[in-house]
């Protein structure tokens, strides 16, 4: 395994290019709700479990295109957002898998270039400012 500088140190030295959007990239694919999303339409995070090879290859594609870092496929990975799909109890598994897939993609290259993985955390679908959820529940989730 290549020892790479800490991300913040690398950013002090140069501009690092990050990947494009996972969700928009997934939307370009011909996926089936039952087979690929396990019946959870629009839950891109479930692809970490149902189609790990697809998620890994999306990351690889961004690295091949020149990205220095990719974001994990975990934008909607909070227990609150995943709860809308009945997956709140699998949030940790889904997010850990997302990180492992991105790291596997980064380490699949042997050209000596430093590649980074950063966690993606979206705002979720419930916002206190809109009255969807209170702050304490959001923080606890």
């Amino acid at each position: 395994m290549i020892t790479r500088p800490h991300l913040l140190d690398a950013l002090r030295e140069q501009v690092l290019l990050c990947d494009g959007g996972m969700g928009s990239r997934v939307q370009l694919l011909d996926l089936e709700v039952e087979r690929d999303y396990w019946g959870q339409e629009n839950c891109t995070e479930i692809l970490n479990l149902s189609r790990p090879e697809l998620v890994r290859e999306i990351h690889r594609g961004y690295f091949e295109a020149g990205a220095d870092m990719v974001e994990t496929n975990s934008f909607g990975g909070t227990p609150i957002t995943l709860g809308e799909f009945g997956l709140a109890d699998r949030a940790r598994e889904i997010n850990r898998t997302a990180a492992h897939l991105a790291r596997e993609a980064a380490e699949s290259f042997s050209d000596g270039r430093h590649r980074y993985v950063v966690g993606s955390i979206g705002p979720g679908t419930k916002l206190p400012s809109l009255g969807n959820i209170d702050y304490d529940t959001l923080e606890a989730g």
Side-chain angles (χ1 to χ4, degrees), residues 2 109-115:
I2 297 172
F109 294 87
S110 59
D111 58 6
R113 221 174 109 215
H114 300 303
R115 290 178 174 84

Side-chain angles (χ1 to χ4, degrees), residues 15-125:
V15 173
L16 298 179
L17 181 64
C18 194
D19 65 357
M22 176 64 76
S24 57
R25 180 64 185 85
V26 166
Q27 293 301 314
L28 294 174
L29 303 173
D30 186 25
L31 300 177
E32 295 178 18
V33 172
E34 292 305 317
R35 181 192 69 202
D36 301 310
Y37 289 96
W38 293 348
Q40 306 300 326
E41 188 170 12
N42 294 323
C43 183
T44 304
E45 293 73 25
I46 199 67
L47 297 173
N48 295 324
L49 304 179
S50 68
R51 296 294 304 274
E53 75 288 352
L54 185 146
V55 174
R56 191 181 305 106
E57 284 307 307
I58 290 172
H59 291 312
R60 277 190 53 79
Y62 282 123
F63 283 131
E64 287 171 352
D68 298 298
M69 60 184 150
V70 296
E71 292 182 296
T72 57
N73 182 33
S74 56
F75 186 79
T78 66
I80 292 169
T81 301
L82 289 172
E84 295 175 19
F85 301 99
L87 297 167
D89 60 330
R90 298 189 78 179
R92 183 174 175 84
E93 172 190 13
I94 289 169
N95 290 310
R96 285 184 62 92
T97 302
H100 286 294
L101 293 171
R103 188 76 251 150
E104 287 171 5
E107 291 177 3
S108 70
F109 294 87
S110 59
D111 58 6
R113 221 174 109 215
H114 300 303
R115 290 178 174 84
Y116 297 88
V117 171
V118 295
S120 177
I121 303 170
T125 55

